[in-house]
Amino acid sequence: MALNYLLDWKMPSSTPTPAVEPTGDSSSDPAPSHPLNNEEALEQVLTLLRAKDDTKRFAGLAFLSTLINNLDTPDKVAEFRAVSQQCWEAIPASFLDRLFNAQPKASAGDPDARSYYGIAVGVFHFFLLMLDGPSIGENSIWPAKMSASLQRSWTGRVRTMFAALDDDFGGLHTPIMQILYQFSRHYDGACILVSIEDWSSLFNQFTQHESVPDIFVGTYKTLTYQASSPQSVDYTFITASLNRQVSTAFRVLEDSRKPELLWLAVNGVLDDLAQILSSEASRLRSKPPWLDGAAKQLLQSPYNKRKDVNPRVFRMHALALASTLITQYPQHFPSVMFYSLAQSEATSDAKPPTYVFVKMVIVEIRATLLVLPEVPVRTPEFVSKALQASQCYIILCGFISYLVSDDTPSLLSPDLLLRLRKDIAELLSETISYFREAFEGATDQKSIEAEKDESQSVQRQDVTTILRNSPLILAQIQTLGLWLREDDGEALKVEAASMMENLLDMLKQETSHSNHDAIVVALEGICMVPEGAKAFMERSGWQTLVAMLKPQITAKDLTSAQEYTAMQILNVFDTVISSYQERGMPVSTEQLKLLNTLALVDASTIEASGLKLSLFILARLLFECIRPEAWTRYRRVAERIVSKAKALYELGGPVKSQYLDVMMELTGVMEVD
C-alpha cells in the first residue's frame, strides 16, 4: 500500500498567514529525530497534534507524514491502522477547519494558502481511507453521533472541496473525488452532500473522473437504504434534492465535451431512483421542474452537429434517457416531449423535431431487427442490441399513448401524421414477424440442444425462456398491444393472431403485474377480429384468463394493480363475446362457466366502482348469449347476480343508475326466457 501519495503534504514556505492564525504559545520544541521505537514516535506525534499552537501541530503532521511514508509492508500498515484512530482524534477540528478555510485564498493564487489547503485535503483524505477502508473494525472517521455543529463544520469542508474542483489544484482533484465517493457511501456523508445546493463543479468532472455517476447515484441510495428505518426516509426532501441536481446536470450537459457520458449518468440515476422510490411512486412521478429542459435537449439530439461528439453514441444515450423518462413519468413526459417543446422548435422550412425524433426511433428499431436474428441469443451482443431496441419501442409506445389520449391538441399536420401512421404500421408488421420467427427459431434450437445435451447431461437456460424475459419482447408486446387496441385497421390484428400461442404461454409464466397487463392489452386488440378470437379460444385463452381473474376478484383487499389487471381481463372477455355476437355464434359451455365465478364475487369488497360495474356488464353479455334451452341451468346463477346488483344499487354511489340498468336488462333477459 503506497501511503506516501496519500499524505504528499507541502509545508508552507513561511509562518502561518491570517488564513490560519497561530494560537497559543508560538515557541516550539525542535521536531523530534527519527525514532527507533514506534510507540515513542506515536506518543510524540500525539503530543504535537494536541498542542495549543499551530506551529507544533504542523510539526506533528510533518512527523506523522514521515512515519506513514515508512509503512512499506502490509504488517506495518495494519499495525498503524490499529492506532490511527488516536491520531485522527488528536487533530483539533478547529485547526482542520482553518486549513480548509484557506481555499478561497488558495484559489486566488496565494502559495501558502494553497499549501494549507493541500494539507487539509491530504489529512482528511488519508484518515478517511485509512479508517473507513475494508476491515476497519470499530475504528471510523465518522463520529458515533453527528451533532448539528459538527455537521455544519463538515459541510463547510465539503463545500470548499466542491469549489476546489473548479480550480486547477494540481493533484488535489483525485483525492477530493475519492473523499466525495466515500461520503456518498455513508449516511451522514450523503446528508452533507445533498446539503450542497450546486453540484455543477462535480458534474464538470464527468470526463475526467469515472466516479462522478457513482457519487451521484450512491448518495441517494445511501439516503434511502441506510436510514434508521423505512419510516424515517424523507422522500420529499430526496426528490426535491434530486430534481435540483438533475436540473444542474442538464445545464452542464449543454457545454459538456462528452455529453454522452452525462446522458448515461443521468439515465442511471433516474433508473436507480425509480427502484429506490418505488414505494413512493406518486412522489417520484409528479412532474419535476427539469422535465421541460430534458425534453428540449432530447429533441435536439438528431440535429447534433458538434465535432467533439460521436453522433451515434449521443443518440443512443439520448434514446436510453428518453425511454427512462417515459417509463417513470408516463403522465407528463410524452406530452412535454412530443408536443409542447416540439411545436416551439418547429420552423417553416423544416419538419418538426417530434417527427424527426420518432422517425429516428423507427429507423433504429428497423436496423436492429434486421441484424438481431443473426446474433446468438446467449451473447452479450444480443443483450446490448435488444436493450437498445427495447428503449426505442418504449419511446414509440409513449408516442402512441399520447396520440390516443383524450383532449390532446394537434401534434403534427395531417400529412405528417399519416406518414408516421404508415411507418408505424409497417414497423409493427415487421415486429410481429420478428416475434414469431424468434420463438419458432428458439423452439428449433431447443430441440437441437436437447439432442446434443442428452448424452452430456448439460443443463442450460433454454432460448425460449431468455426470449420471454427479454426487455425487447416485453417492449414489443406493450407497443403492439396499444396500437392494436386503439387502431381501427384489421390487417395487423389478423397478422398478430399468429402470436397467440406464445402470448398465452408468456402469460402463464409471468409474475409481474405490468407484464401481465401488456400481454392482456395485446390479447384484447387481437381478439377484436374473428381470427384473433378464434385463436384465443382454440388455445385455451379463456381458461387461462379465468384462472388469472379468480384471485383478482375474490381477494378481500385488492391492490390498485390487481384491480387494473382485472379490468383488462374483463375487457378481453367482453371483446371475445362481442365478436361471437356479431357473427351470431353461440358461446361455449366453457365460456358460460365464468358466470359461476362471477356469482361468487363479493362485490362489496371491491373498492373500484368501475370494476364492479364491469363484472355485472360482463354477466349480462354472457346471459344474452345463452340459448333458450340452456336457461334453466343458469337461472339460479342469474338470480344471485341480480341480487348482488340490487344490493349495490341500494348502497348508492357514482354508478347507481348504471346498476339499475344492468338489473333491468338482466331481469328482462330472464323474463324473455
Side-chain angles (χ1 to χ4, degrees), residues 533-547:
K534 180 182 178 182
F536 177 76
M537 294 303 301
E538 288 178 347
R539 289 165 176 76
S540 303
W542 190 278
Q543 294 92 317
T544 300
L545 290 193
V546 168

Side-chain angles (χ1 to χ4, degrees), residues 385-549:
K385 290 184 178 298
L387 178 60
Q388 290 177 356
S390 70
Q391 292 165 344
C392 291
Y393 273 109
I394 290 172
I395 296 171
L396 186 60
C397 188
F399 177 70
I400 296 170
S401 66
Y402 176 73
L403 287 181
V404 302
S405 58
D406 296 332
D407 301 325
T408 55
S410 177
L411 181 65
L412 297 168
S413 68
D415 177 59
L416 291 180
L417 280 175
L418 284 174
R419 291 187 196 179
L420 283 182
R421 184 184 182 281
K422 181 176 180 291
D423 289 340
I424 292 173
E426 291 177 352
L427 171 64
L428 293 180
S429 178
E430 296 168 9
T431 299
I432 294 171
S433 298
Y434 170 82
F435 183 95
R436 185 176 59 249
E437 293 169 4
F439 277 98
E440 288 174 356
T443 302
D444 295 340
Q445 181 71 16
K446 185 176 180 180
S447 301
I448 295 172
E449 290 178 352
E451 293 177 2
K452 290 182 178 180
D453 296 344
E454 186 175 356
S455 59
Q456 304 174 14
S457 300
V458 176
Q459 293 183 352
R460 56 179 130 182
Q461 188 179 29
D462 66 78
V463 177
T464 303
T465 302
I466 296 175
L467 285 174
R468 285 172 180 163
N469 297 326
S470 169
L472 171 59
I473 294 297
L474 295 173
Q476 286 178 331
I477 293 172
Q478 184 181 25
T479 307
L480 181 62
L482 182 60
W483 183 265
L484 292 176
R485 187 180 68 178
E486 302 296 339
D487 187 62
D488 295 332
E490 294 188 356
L492 206 59
K493 295 180 174 66
V494 173
E495 190 177 351
S498 62
M499 302 168 59
M500 185 63 68
E501 183 176 358
N502 293 119
L503 289 175
L504 292 174
D505 285 343
M506 290 182 66
L507 201 57
K508 296 172 186 176
Q509 301 293 329
E510 274 294 341
T511 57
S512 167
H513 273 289
S514 60
N515 294 340
H516 276 163
D517 296 339
I519 297 171
V520 172
V521 168
L523 293 178
E524 180 186 353
I526 296 172
C527 290
M528 288 178 176
V529 294
E531 294 84 352
K534 180 182 178 182
F536 177 76
M537 294 303 301
E538 288 178 347
R539 289 165 176 76
S540 303
W542 190 278
Q543 294 92 317
T544 300
L545 290 193
V546 168
M548 282 183 57
L549 181 65

Side-chain angles (χ1 to χ4, degrees), residues 309-431:
V309 175
N310 183 324
R312 169 70 178 171
V313 174
F314 184 86
R315 284 198 302 271
M316 293 316 299
H317 286 309
L319 292 173
L321 181 55
S323 69
T324 298
L325 294 173
I326 288 174
T327 301
Q328 303 308 330
Y329 304 97
Q331 302 301 319
H332 306 291
F333 192 67
S335 62
V336 170
M337 180 172 181
F338 295 124
Y339 178 74
S340 303
L341 292 170
Q343 291 297 306
S344 66
E345 294 287 336
T347 60
S348 58
D349 57 345
K351 294 182 176 66
T354 295
Y355 178 85
V356 177
F357 195 89
V358 175
K359 285 284 290 185
M360 179 184 72
V361 168
I362 293 173
V363 169
E364 290 289 346
I365 294 176
R366 279 183 161 165
T368 304
L369 293 184
L370 284 175
V371 301
L372 211 52
E374 307 301 323
V375 181
V377 173
R378 293 192 180 94
T379 62
E381 183 183 0
F382 177 87
V383 174
S384 175
K385 290 184 178 298
L387 178 60
Q388 290 177 356
S390 70
Q391 292 165 344
C392 291
Y393 273 109
I394 290 172
I395 296 171
L396 186 60
C397 188
F399 177 70
I400 296 170
S401 66
Y402 176 73
L403 287 181
V404 302
S405 58
D406 296 332
D407 301 325
T408 55
S410 177
L411 181 65
L412 297 168
S413 68
D415 177 59
L416 291 180
L417 280 175
L418 284 174
R419 291 187 196 179
L420 283 182
R421 184 184 182 281
K422 181 176 180 291
D423 289 340
I424 292 173
E426 291 177 352
L427 171 64
L428 293 180
S429 178
E430 296 168 9
T431 299

